[in-house]
């Protein structure tokens, strides 16, 4: 059974940093590109960042480029999202998931094995 668990969220002030972690079990983690998405209240889930299977290729949404960094540690079955210079508009539930289409993707429909998410709240 595949299990994905995100952690590291919290309440911070604008300009602060957080590092999210996502641990996956029950799958061959190194074989999956991974993505981070977020969903704010009343909004659709949106793409944040993705990383290929070995971590040498990453891609970011324009809204987080230069502030967020995605990385992975395959030996730990873990993908990370380092978030710096946080803004109130970054407030959302953050989810990680595994791409099921054999490549990184911007589309949530291409991902499966979603975790329950971790809440990030940024106050102004």
């Amino acid at each position: 059974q595949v299990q994905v668990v995100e952690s590291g969220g919290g309440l911070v002030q604008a300009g602060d940093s957080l590092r999210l972690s996502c641990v996956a079990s029950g799958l061959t983690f190194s074989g999956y590109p991974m993505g981070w998405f977020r969903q704010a209240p009343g909004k659709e889930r949106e793409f944040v960042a993705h990383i290929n299977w070995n971590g040498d290729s990453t891609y970011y949404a324009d809204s987080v480029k230069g502030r967020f960094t995605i990385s992975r540690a395959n030996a730990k079955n873990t993908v990370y999202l380092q978030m710096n210079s946080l803004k109130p508009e970054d407030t959302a539930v953050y989810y990680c998931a595994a791409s099921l289409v054999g490549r990184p993707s911007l589309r949530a429909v291409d991902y499966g094995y979603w975790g329950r998410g971790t809440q990030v709240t940024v106050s102004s």
Side-chain angles (χ1 to χ4, degrees), residues 1-84:
Q1 181 178 356
V2 177
Q3 188 173 20
V4 173
V5 180
E6 302 93 340
S7 63
L11 172 62
V12 297
Q13 293 186 330
D16 285 350
S17 298
L18 281 175
R19 188 174 85 152
L20 306 184
S21 298
C22 168
V23 180
S25 59
L27 75 169
T28 306
F29 180 78
S30 61
Y32 289 87
M34 298 294 294
W36 283 98
F37 290 76
R38 66 187 181 185
Q39 188 166 18
K43 295 188 177 181
E44 294 187 354
R45 191 167 298 189
E46 66 172 357
F47 167 79
V48 175
H50 66 53
I51 189 168
N52 72 336
W53 67 276
N54 67 355
D56 66 358
S57 177
T58 59
Y59 187 82
Y60 300 91
D62 287 344
S63 58
V64 307
K65 199 172 297 181
R67 300 187 297 122
F68 290 11
T69 302
I70 187 172
S71 62
R72 66 189 296 160
N74 286 343
K76 297 182 179 180
N77 281 17
T78 302
V79 60
Y80 304 98
L81 187 68
Q82 177 67 43
M83 306 187 296
N84 299 330

